[in-house]
């Protein structure tokens, strides 16, 4: 784990990249923040988490780090030890964790629940959607207080790396750490009320097949009876209306993605 503290005092804000080693955009954002020589007004901690998996170009070495929290410092698995170390480094911090997906090119935010930090920060991020995942957060970093995840874009793409940096800059501005680019001071960029909020309701199982397709688009309503995916020659149709989230043919081993409900917009 590579940790850099900027500013004087104990950080109360943190940015974390490379929780998954096959998602380099967060690590690239952290390094770009370090290269930017930021004039910080609050101390901030910048972390590249799973360096070993990042160097190997794999999601994890032993077990998925983002299913291993709170971790165990005495565990045999590398990621279980790392989870405990990372949580200790993030103690007391409002945290942005940067990820990427195989399902959607535009950035969106993921929270366990809409706590005060999520409500204060999310409207200032360059995202059009916030996903509440409280039914599916076991072992994930966002299960812990004052943590937001962002999905920066398609895994391994230049777009995701660029989005990750600007998401981090927006987060640092929203938490009073550093000015937004082009501003002389930390500024309130103004909250947005048009950010849609979705809540995950269920997983979409993936039957065994030699090939998979998806027909629906993430965050766009699927109507009853509509075909939204296929496993081989079998089409999957909606039993009731829903919004697909993280829907992709090969992003997950045993599921297409998630069924979600649209619950409103940020207020």
């Amino acid at each position: 784990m590579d940790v850099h503290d900027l500013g004087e005092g104990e950080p109360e804000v943190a940015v974390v990249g490379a929780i998954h080693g096959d998602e380099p955009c967060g690590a690239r954002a952290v390094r770009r923040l370090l290269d930017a020589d930021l004039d910080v007004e609050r101390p901030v901690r910048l972390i590249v988490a799973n360096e070993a998996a990042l160097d190997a170009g794999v999601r994890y070495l032993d077990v998925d780090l983002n299913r291993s929290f709170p971790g165990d410092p005495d565990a045999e698995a590398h990621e279980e030890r790392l989870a405990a170390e990372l949580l200790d480094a993030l103690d007391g911090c409002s945290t942005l964790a940067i990820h990427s997906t195989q399902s959607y090119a535009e950035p969106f935010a993921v929270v366990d629940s809409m706590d005060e930090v999520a409500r204060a920060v999310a409207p200032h991020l360059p995202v059009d959607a916030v996903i509440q995942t409280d039914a599916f957060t076991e072992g994930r970093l966002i299960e812990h207080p004052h943590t937001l995840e962002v999905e920066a874009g398609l895994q391994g793409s230049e777009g995701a790396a660029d989005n990750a940096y600007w998401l981090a800059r927006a987060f640092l501005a929203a938490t009073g750490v550093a000015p937004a680019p082009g501003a002389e001071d930390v500024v309130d960029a103004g909250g947005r009320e048009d950010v849609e909020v979705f809540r995950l309701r269920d997983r979409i199982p993936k039957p065994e097949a030699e090939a998979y397709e998806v027909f629906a688009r993430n965050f766009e309503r699927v109507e009853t009876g509509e075909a939204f995916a296929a496993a081989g020659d079998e089409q999957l149709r909606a039993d009731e209306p829903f919004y697909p989230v993280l829907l992709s043919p090969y992003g997950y081993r045993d599921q297409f993605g998630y069924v979600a409900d649209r619950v409103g917009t940020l207020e």
Side-chain angles (χ1 to χ4, degrees):
M1 187 168 72
D2 189 24
V3 180
H4 299 265
D5 288 353
L6 305 181
E8 299 294 327
E10 185 66 20
E12 296 179 350
V13 177
V15 176
V16 181
I19 285 177
H20 292 134
D22 60 352
E23 298 174 10
C25 62
R28 292 178 62 179
V30 165
R31 290 163 185 154
R32 192 170 167 185
L33 290 171
L34 292 170
D35 290 342
D37 193 25
L38 299 175
D39 183 15
V40 299
E41 299 190 18
R42 295 179 65 191
V44 60
R45 179 162 289 164
L46 306 177
I47 300 175
V48 177
N50 201 342
E51 289 183 283
L54 182 67
D55 290 343
V58 296
R59 188 173 180 83
Y60 54 80
L61 298 186
D62 297 322
V63 295
D64 191 331
L65 175 58
N66 210 29
R67 303 295 185 272
S68 300
F69 294 100
D72 179 353
D74 299 318
E76 291 186 9
H78 163 71
E79 280 81 9
E80 291 181 3
R81 297 192 304 273
L82 181 58
E85 184 181 359
L86 180 56
L87 271 191
D88 185 60
L90 295 175
D91 185 39
C93 289
S94 295
T95 300
L96 181 75
I98 302 173
H99 292 265
S100 56
T101 81
Q102 295 187 36
S103 62
Y104 196 67
E106 300 303 318
F108 59 92
V110 183
V111 299
D112 175 55
S113 60
M114 293 302 295
D115 65 11
E116 63 274 18
V117 172
R119 290 188 179 280
V121 172
H124 301 275
L125 301 180
V127 299
D128 292 322
V130 175
I131 312 303
Q132 185 176 336
T133 65
D134 51 312
F136 301 95
T137 55
E138 185 175 357
R140 294 176 59 171
L141 183 58
I142 55 171
E143 191 176 17
H144 299 276
H146 312 317
T147 301
L148 292 84
E149 285 184 1
V150 286
E151 299 285 356
L154 293 175
Q155 188 174 322
S157 69
E158 287 298 322
D162 198 45
N163 289 341
Y165 175 72
W166 294 111
L167 286 160
R169 289 300 302 262
F171 176 75
L172 295 182
T175 51
V177 171
E184 294 183 359
D185 300 301
V186 175
V187 295
D188 183 349
R192 296 169 52 204
E193 296 182 355
D194 60 340
V195 179
E196 294 186 298
V197 180
F198 299 84
R199 185 171 186 266
L200 299 189
R201 172 161 43 98
D202 206 353
R203 293 181 173 90
I204 303 174
K206 183 194 290 184
E208 285 194 20
E210 292 185 1
Y212 299 98
E213 292 181 85
V214 296
F215 312 129
R217 298 173 62 88
N218 282 288
F219 306 114
E220 295 186 10
R221 181 180 166 102
V222 174
E223 301 296 343
T224 301
E226 183 179 345
F228 61 86
D233 295 330
E234 177 189 357
Q235 287 195 344
L236 281 67
R237 296 183 178 275
D239 294 329
E240 58 183 333
F242 75 95
Y243 290 86
V245 171
L246 291 167
L247 186 72
S248 68
Y250 299 106
Y252 298 98
R253 180 180 58 82
D254 56 358
Q255 67 185 75
F256 279 106
Y258 292 89
V259 171
D261 297 315
R262 184 182 180 276
V263 296
T265 58
L266 290 178
E267 298 178 358

